[in-house]
Amino acid sequence: MPKRGCTIWFTGLSGSGKSTVATGLVEALRVREVTKVEVLDGDVVRTNLSKGLGFSREDRDTNILRIGFVCELLARNGVVAIAAAISPYRSTRDAVRKQIGDGFIEVFVEAPLEVCIERDVKGLYEKALKEEIPQFTGVSDPYEPPLNPELILQTDRETVDVSVTKLLRVMELLDILPEGAPLLEAHEDEAVHAQLVAAGRLASRAEATQREKGS
Amino acid sequence: MPKRGCTIWFTGLSGSGKSTVATGLVEALRVREVTKVEVLDGDVVRTNLSKGLGFSREDRDTNILRIGFVCELLARNGVVAIAAAISPYRSTRDAVRKQIGDGFIEVFVEAPLEVCIERDVKGLYEKALKEEIPQFTGVSDPYEPPLNPELILQTDRETVDVSVTKLLRVMELLDILPEGAPLLEAHEDEAVHAQLVAAGRLASRAEATQREKGS
């Protein structure tokens, strides 16, 4: 069981690896006996929550706010809610963060556009580049990367396993999961910690040590 | 804690008392220390899930299926999800029932149209009768009462307290809540039981006794 619910909010280009990492996370949580987990990925949501919405800025925003609403309902009832939609606009993601509060964990799934185009799992980039799909994020519509996400995953340089392990570590450090055996290499652990400090979610280790000395 | 999540699906005319009974149920559940409870009433849903949808048959159906989707997510994670939307069409409610399965509890909140018009809490019937609101359920759009709901509440003839107590009893009989002290009068308890038998959710008492004797 997690200590509390939360919302893991993946954001990144189509093909960056959001759903793949989300699936890996669900598996890893199951191993830790965390079974109250729901994934709201782009396809699930477009079918069940947002049928009829298009890809205009306004429709995309509505879609994202709606996913945020459902994540909030789930998370406040102890569920690990995982959103895996592109969510290209920074201000919209920030609105969801504000709405959800403390339980919001933004994970930037970063892969260079060239890599996503090369992967092209759904064949969408090919169509977008031929202008058969309008307003395609990264091609004909903007993607605004987060400035201070809780975690950055560079899926072109690390395995899904490493990405998932980093996610579990973030959940430990934010007191959502109990601490497990250390699984990351020291430098990776440092980097995860540093990113949470940059996101304003943790005190730096120097500060923490200082505080302990003082007490 | 409930033994398992479920979806309490109120259906009935505007002004029949769906939200009032839902609010009473939330309170009563809190007293029993059931805190994982979410109410999705018409207004919450129209704001957060279905902005932009109108009141055509198709839009209403989309709205109801969407509420059903969210209730299912919540209920399968142990939450008591309470839907309180008019949900006028039988086939749509039945589609949600089929989707959710065993955890779906349909509650017909029955009050005669004249009573709802007299209450007219939101002033909507006045407008509908003047034809200022088109497609208004009960006035210019159909309401299809359920044929075999798990519970019928006649809110023009019973107090909110009694309605809520009946709901708790249904939840006990369906093994969602542990049995509490009997709170209904014997004839009311019989009626609640009989309705669950009619809905195909319980064996009749005669059958149950027969079975015990046989074993």
Side-chain angles (χ1 to χ4, degrees), chain A residues 51-65:
Chain A
K51 212 163 63 182
L53 288 181
F55 292 87
S56 67
R57 166 99 203 207
E58 196 188 343
D59 277 7
R60 281 176 188 267
D61 281 354
T62 301
N63 183 40
I64 294 307
L65 295 174

Side-chain angles (χ1 to χ4, degrees), chain A residues 1 35-38 40 44-45 48-52 62 65-66 69-70 72-74 76-79, chain B residues 1 35-38 40 44-45 48-52 62 65-66 69-70 72-74 76-79:
Chain A
M1 291 284 292
T35 53
K36 291 188 175 182
V37 182
E38 292 290 345
L40 295 162
V44 168
V45 164
N48 292 293
L49 285 182
S50 295
K51 212 163 63 182
T62 301
L65 295 174
R66 210 168 268 177
F69 172 70
V70 176
E72 189 190 6
L73 288 180
L74 289 166
R76 74 184 181 199
N77 286 291
V79 179
Chain B
M1 291 285 292
T35 53
K36 292 189 174 180
V37 181
E38 293 290 345
L40 294 162
V44 167
V45 165
N48 292 292
L49 285 182
S50 294
K51 212 163 62 181
T62 301
L65 295 174
R66 212 169 266 177
F69 172 70
V70 176
E72 188 189 7
L73 287 180
L74 289 166
R76 74 184 181 199
N77 286 289
V79 179

Side-chain angles (χ1 to χ4, degrees), chain B residues 106-147:
Chain B
E106 190 174 24
V107 180
F108 179 25
V109 185
E110 190 181 22
L113 181 60
E114 312 83 74
V115 173
C116 297
I117 290 175
E118 199 162 310
R119 288 177 183 163
D120 205 11
V121 193
K122 302 178 190 169
L124 296 174
Y125 281 104
E126 196 186 338
K127 288 185 188 167
L129 290 166
K130 285 185 194 160
E131 294 176 34
E132 289 169 20
I133 306 176
Q135 296 177 297
F136 195 82
T137 300
V139 177
S140 43
D141 218 56
Y143 177 80
E144 301 169 357
L147 299 179

Side-chain angles (χ1 to χ4, degrees), chain A residues 8 10 21 25 28 32 105 107 150-155 157-174 177 183-185 187-193 195-196:
Chain A
I8 313 276
F10 291 107
V21 178
L25 179 59
R32 291 195 178 204
I105 300 168
V107 180
E150 274 76 358
L151 181 63
I152 301 173
L153 300 174
Q154 296 184 302
T155 59
R157 302 190 214 164
E158 66 191 34
T159 63
V160 175
D161 263 7
V162 168
S163 293
V164 168
T165 308
K166 287 179 178 174
L167 276 160
L168 294 173
R169 185 66 184 134
V170 165
M171 292 174 78
E172 288 176 2
L173 288 168
L174 294 180
L177 292 181
L183 295 170
L184 289 174
E185 292 187 37
H187 72 278
E188 288 169 334
D189 200 273
E190 277 300 327
V192 166
H193 196 281
Q195 186 63 35
L196 283 172

Side-chain angles (χ1 to χ4, degrees), chain A residues 92-151:
Chain A
T92 320
R93 293 192 306 265
D94 287 349
V96 176
R97 177 188 286 277
K98 199 173 163 193
Q99 174 69 25
I100 293 183
D102 196 38
F104 185 83
I105 300 168
E106 191 175 24
V107 180
F108 179 25
V109 185
E110 192 182 19
L113 182 60
E114 311 83 74
V115 173
C116 297
I117 290 176
E118 199 162 310
R119 289 177 182 163
D120 205 10
V121 192
K122 303 178 192 169
L124 295 174
Y125 281 104
E126 195 186 338
K127 288 185 188 168
L129 290 165
K130 286 186 193 160
E131 293 176 34
E132 289 170 17
I133 306 177
Q135 296 177 298
F136 195 82
T137 300
V139 176
S140 44
D141 216 56
Y143 178 80
E144 302 169 357
L147 299 178
N148 288 303
E150 274 76 358
L151 181 63

